[in-house]
């Protein structure tokens, strides 16, 4: 070929053929990102990679020379075990991630092929960096024998979730033969280990859920002493050896004990977020014997069991008050959720997620909260044995946090209808002195039939020269029925809007969220109340709040 022909051939060559192997390999690697998919057309990095290596010999050879590509496209749930083995082989000596480092995204191995897949994974156990599994009972013993009892030099994140009847899943020996120098994050659900293992000493994250024997199984005598969840004292002795913890979650993980007085206090100096789900007595006893930083977020789900909170209630208020004493009083634009619900439940806190299921990682919860608040997170879900106990504790909670009310600009308030009809004096919720403290509230959120009970209280309890909620400009009603036979919600809201105009602090915005309301009622509210009425959904409401926070 002449020089002229060679030059022309080079010019006509496709640009991608001119790329160096290194750049081409990076392109192939980027194609393994699962984030490229969308809900309508999910992206399959495995299929893309296999199509890529069939284009030409050069692409085939470049792809095979990048182990990262093959380690990222393994589907442990669907691929045949032989193909899993081949892909692990092609990943060479790179770290292996089985599942994502999130308790909510484990690899589910529940079918007969699970053991064969696990065998190939554990053949490479020295390379395992992330292991996140949800299994049935059958693979448990194999996991113990093939992985938990051997050194794991690379493991950083371990998440094991079983769906088998507790308390049958236990590994009692020294975890990883006490040799897991990189283990930092451990999540266990419905399975137990020896929590005193040296392998846990460097943990920054510990989450243990559902290790209390349910129902009648709790009466069964265990065949091993470690097949019982630790008591408060047991957990505190364990935590003495975990000084680096940043995130700690114990839910249905504390065995009930009445003897919690002679326990030393444990200091957790690095803790960012503490989550406890337990009986009221055990949860409070745990809180009473730990010391956490003033900035530590607190999430509690505590339930009284046929008993009044009594001294435990005093201790819980003392713990919360001690944390609160370090808060700055002049933080602007605070948010508060204060709800009293049927079943003698209280939802209280400065997170809009109070009462939601726990479907985010602990670090994600704290990160999200930091975007909207400068205060430490408070998330309380408390259950009591009587309406009287519920009202009394709720009143004390409201009083405890009153130093934050002058800068609270958004308030979610809810008196559940069933609860309102079960107590003799609904006006006790909330107290007038508390209501008068909310001088900065601009947006008030009421749910379902709460407006029928609360709006008249706001109106009739105001003084001539001191109306309640003087800064209020926006009223948001969620799931309120304006079209029932009596049209009680309609007339109650109209009366409130007219009163606000009469005392010269009119509302400007009425938001109706997922409520039953006709076009005629909507127009009547706007006309008679002189407000802008807007309809929306809970999803649109959250998006609007997110947009406001970004601005």
């Amino acid at each position: 070929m002449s020089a002229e022909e060679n030059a022309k051939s080079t010019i006509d060559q496709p640009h991608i053929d001119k790329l160096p192997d290194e750049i081409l390999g990076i392109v192939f690697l980027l194609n393994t990102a699962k984030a490229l998919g969308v809900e309508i057309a999910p992206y399959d990095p495995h299929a893309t990679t296999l199509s890529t290596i069939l284009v030409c010999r050069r692409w085939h050879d470049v792809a095979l020379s990048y182990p990262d590509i093959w380690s990222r496209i393994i589907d442990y749930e669907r691929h045949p075990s032989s193909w899993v083995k081949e892909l692990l082989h092609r990943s060479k000596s790179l770290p292996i991630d089985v599942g994502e480092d999130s308790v909510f995204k484990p690899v589910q191995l529940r079918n007969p092929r699970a053991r064969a897949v696990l065998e190939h994974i554990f053949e490479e156990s020295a390379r395992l960096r992330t292991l996140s599994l949800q299994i049935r009972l059958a693979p448990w013993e194999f996991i113990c024998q093939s992985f938990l009892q051997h050194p794991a030099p690379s493991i950083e994140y371990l998440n094991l979730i079983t769906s088998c009847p507790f308390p049958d899943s236990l590994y009692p020996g020294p975890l990883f033969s006490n040799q897991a120098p990189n283990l930092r994050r451990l999540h266990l659900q419905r399975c137990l280990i020896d929590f005193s293992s040296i392998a846990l000493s460097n943990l920054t994250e510990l989450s243990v859920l559902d290790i209390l024997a349910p129902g009648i199984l709790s009466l069964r005598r265990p065949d091993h002493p470690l097949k019982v969840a630790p008591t408060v004292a047991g957990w505190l002795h364990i935590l003495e050896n975990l000084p680096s913890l940043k995130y700690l979650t114990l839910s249905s993980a504390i065995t009930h004990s009445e003897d919690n007085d002679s326990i030393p206090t444990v200091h957790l100096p690095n803790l960012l977020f503490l989550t406890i789900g337990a009986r009221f007595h055990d949860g409070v006893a745990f809180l009473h014997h730990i010391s956490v930083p003033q900035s530590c977020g607190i999430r509690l789900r505590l339930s009284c069991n046929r008993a009044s909170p009594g001294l435990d209630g005093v201790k819980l208020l003392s713990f919360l008050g001690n944390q609160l004493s370090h808060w700055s009083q002049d933080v602007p634009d605070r948010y508060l959720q204060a709800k009293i619900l049927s079943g003698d439940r209280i939802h209280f806190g400065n997170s809009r997620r109070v009462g939601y299921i726990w479907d985010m990682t602990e670090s994600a919860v704290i990160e999200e909260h930091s975007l909207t608040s400068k205060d430490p997170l408070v998330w309380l879900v408390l259950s009591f044995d009587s309406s009287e106990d519920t009202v009394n504790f709720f009143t004390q909670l409201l009083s405890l946090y009153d130093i934050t009310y002058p800068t609270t600009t958004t308030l979610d308030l809810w008196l559940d209808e069933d609860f309102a009809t079960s107590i003799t004096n609904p006006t006790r919720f909330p107290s007038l002195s508390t209501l008068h403290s909310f001088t900065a509230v601009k947006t008030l959120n009421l749910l379902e039939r709460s407006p029928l009970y609360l709006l008249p209280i706001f109106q009739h309890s105001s003084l001539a020269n001191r109306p309640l909620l003087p800064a209020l400009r926006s009223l948001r009603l969620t799931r309120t029925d304006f079209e029932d036979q009596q049209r009680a919600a309609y007339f109650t809201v109209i009366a409130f809007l007219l009163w606000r105009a009469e005392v010269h602090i009119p509302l400007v915005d009425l938001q109706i969220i997922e409520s039953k309301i006709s076009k005629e009622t909507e127009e009547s509210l706007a006309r008679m109340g002189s407000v802008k009425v807007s309809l929306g959904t809970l999803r649109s409401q959250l998006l609007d709040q997110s947009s406001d926070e970004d601005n």
Side-chain angles (χ1 to χ4, degrees):
M1 182 182 294
S2 67
E4 182 179 345
E5 290 174 332
N6 186 54
K8 185 177 185 303
S9 175
T10 303
I11 293 173
D12 293 340
Q13 188 180 17
H15 290 296
I16 195 166
D17 287 345
K18 300 176 185 178
L19 290 177
D21 288 354
E22 294 78 7
I23 301 299
L24 195 60
I26 292 174
V27 172
F28 296 163
L29 191 61
L30 290 174
N31 282 338
T32 64
K34 296 179 181 179
L36 294 174
V38 295
E39 292 183 4
I40 299 176
Y43 178 70
D44 185 350
H46 176 264
T48 299
T49 300
L50 294 189
S51 298
T52 297
I53 65 173
L54 296 177
V55 170
C56 65
R57 169 61 64 180
R58 180 187 176 221
W59 285 25
H60 176 276
D61 294 343
V62 168
L64 285 180
S65 68
Y66 274 77
D68 258 340
I69 293 174
W70 305 100
S71 67
R72 293 187 182 191
I73 65 171
I74 306 174
D75 190 333
Y76 295 95
E77 296 179 354
R78 294 179 176 85
H79 287 163
S81 60
S82 58
W83 184 236
V84 169
K85 182 176 182 177
E86 173 61 23
L87 292 176
L88 287 171
H89 173 71
R90 293 185 184 185
S91 67
K92 298 183 179 178
S93 61
L94 287 180
I96 299 171
D97 295 314
V98 180
E100 299 183 29
D101 59 348
S102 168
V103 69
F104 303 105
K105 297 179 180 180
V107 169
Q108 299 185 23
L109 295 179
R110 300 178 176 180
N111 50 38
R113 57 180 286 280
R115 177 166 178 140
V117 172
L118 287 172
E119 284 180 357
H120 297 317
I121 291 173
F122 294 144
E123 286 171 359
E124 308 288 345
S125 60
R127 294 198 283 140
L128 268 176
R129 178 174 58 187
T130 300
L131 182 64
S132 182
L133 296 177
Q134 184 171 359
I135 61 168
R136 291 178 176 167
L137 176 59
W140 175 255
E141 287 301 322
F142 180 72
I143 291 174
C144 294
Q145 295 169 7
S146 302
F147 182 57
L148 298 183
Q149 72 177 15
H150 301 289
S154 301
I155 194 74
E156 298 177 8
Y157 178 91
L158 176 62
N159 171 36
L160 294 177
I161 303 172
T162 76
S163 55
C164 53
F166 181 80
D168 291 315
S169 298
L170 165 71
Y171 176 66
L175 187 64
F176 300 128
S177 297
N178 292 328
Q179 297 179 59
N182 295 302
L183 181 62
R184 296 296 182 271
R185 304 168 64 195
L186 174 64
H187 298 262
L188 300 175
Q189 186 169 4
R190 290 185 292 275
C191 52
L192 277 162
I193 61 170
D194 180 357
F195 291 100
S196 65
S197 172
I198 296 175
L200 308 184
S201 59
N202 294 319
L203 286 183
T204 59
E205 188 172 311
L206 175 63
S207 173
V208 183
L209 293 83
D210 303 331
I211 60 170
L212 293 178
I216 195 170
L217 288 179
S218 63
L219 303 177
R220 188 178 72 176
R221 188 178 185 85
D223 57 12
H224 193 286
L226 290 180
K227 278 193 175 180
V228 179
T231 62
V232 170
W235 276 118
L236 291 172
H237 287 306
I238 291 166
L239 293 172
E240 283 182 318
N241 299 313
L242 307 179
S244 301
L245 276 183
K246 295 181 179 180
Y247 302 97
L248 174 61
T249 295
L250 301 176
S251 181
S252 295
I254 304 176
T255 293
H256 178 64
S257 174
E258 293 293 340
D259 184 19
N260 292 318
D261 293 328
S262 57
I263 305 174
T265 297
V266 173
H267 187 43
L268 299 176
N270 299 297
L271 204 65
L272 300 177
F273 189 26
L274 172 65
T275 299
I276 299 295
R279 288 188 182 187
F280 203 95
H281 174 75
D282 299 314
V284 171
F286 183 88
L287 295 173
H288 189 62
H289 290 93
I290 62 169
S291 172
V292 298
Q294 61 192 48
S295 58
C296 181
I298 304 296
R299 179 170 60 180
L300 306 178
R301 182 178 288 144
L302 307 179
S303 58
C304 288
N305 187 19
R306 300 179 183 178
S308 294
L311 182 59
D312 290 329
V314 175
K315 289 181 178 180
L316 176 56
L317 291 169
S318 175
F319 174 83
L320 295 172
N322 181 61
Q323 296 298 107
L324 177 64
S325 66
H326 300 286
W327 289 20
S328 173
Q329 295 190 22
D330 57 355
V331 170
D333 296 324
R334 282 183 161 119
Y335 165 84
L336 177 68
Q337 178 179 150
K339 300 176 182 177
I340 194 166
L341 310 168
S342 59
D344 300 312
R345 293 171 296 144
I346 290 173
H347 289 182
F348 188 93
N350 59 4
S351 168
R352 289 180 172 85
R353 293 187 177 274
V354 174
Y356 283 53
I357 61 172
W358 297 351
D359 59 354
M360 295 173 63
T361 63
E362 289 82 353
S363 58
V365 170
I366 290 300
E367 181 180 0
E368 179 187 71
H369 181 74
S370 68
L371 298 175
T372 62
S373 176
K374 295 182 179 180
D375 293 325
L377 182 144
V378 175
W379 177 328
L380 308 179
V381 175
L382 309 174
S383 301
F384 296 89
D385 197 51
S386 70
S387 299
E388 186 71 18
D389 289 339
T390 309
V391 172
N392 288 339
F393 197 84
F394 189 85
T395 301
Q396 294 177 76
L397 260 183
L398 280 174
S399 177
L400 179 67
Y401 283 86
D402 63 359
I403 64 169
T404 67
Y405 300 158
T407 55
T408 296
T409 56
T410 302
L411 175 63
D412 282 10
L413 206 56
W414 188 3
L415 178 60
D416 185 276
E417 180 180 9
D418 292 341
F419 190 88
T421 58
S422 70
I423 58 177
T424 57
N425 184 14
T427 58
R428 294 172 58 194
F429 169 89
S431 68
L432 294 182
S433 60
T434 298
L435 287 174
H436 278 291
S437 300
F438 289 107
T439 56
V441 169
K442 298 176 182 178
T443 301
L444 175 65
N445 302 328
L446 302 179
L447 290 87
E448 298 182 0
R449 291 177 62 85
S450 293
L452 275 65
Y453 306 104
L454 297 175
L455 292 182
I457 293 177
F458 300 153
Q459 180 177 345
H460 300 304
S461 300
S462 293
L463 303 176
N465 60 345
R466 192 186 175 196
L468 293 175
L469 309 176
L472 185 63
R473 294 296 179 266
S474 178
L475 179 62
R476 182 178 295 150
L477 306 179
T478 301
R479 293 173 179 162
T480 300
D481 185 0
F482 286 89
E483 306 301 333
D484 62 352
Q485 190 172 0
Q486 290 78 27
R487 302 197 73 198
Y490 168 77
F491 290 113
T492 301
V493 172
I494 282 291
F496 183 75
L497 294 174
L498 293 174
W499 166 70
R500 295 288 298 195
E502 182 182 332
V503 295
H504 306 295
I505 45 174
L507 270 63
V508 297
D509 185 31
L510 177 62
Q511 300 177 43
I512 311 296
I513 309 297
E514 293 187 0
S515 298
K516 187 176 181 181
I517 185 171
S518 66
K519 185 66 175 178
E520 180 183 0
T521 300
E522 176 190 345
E523 292 174 349
S524 177
L525 287 170
R527 182 177 64 256
M528 296 187 64
S530 300
V531 294
K532 175 187 176 183
V533 178
S534 57
L535 307 183
T537 64
L538 286 173
R539 177 175 174 80
S540 65
Q541 178 185 352
L542 289 172
L543 290 174
D544 289 344
Q545 291 168 352
S546 176
S547 176
D548 292 342
E549 289 154 5
D550 291 340
N551 293 332

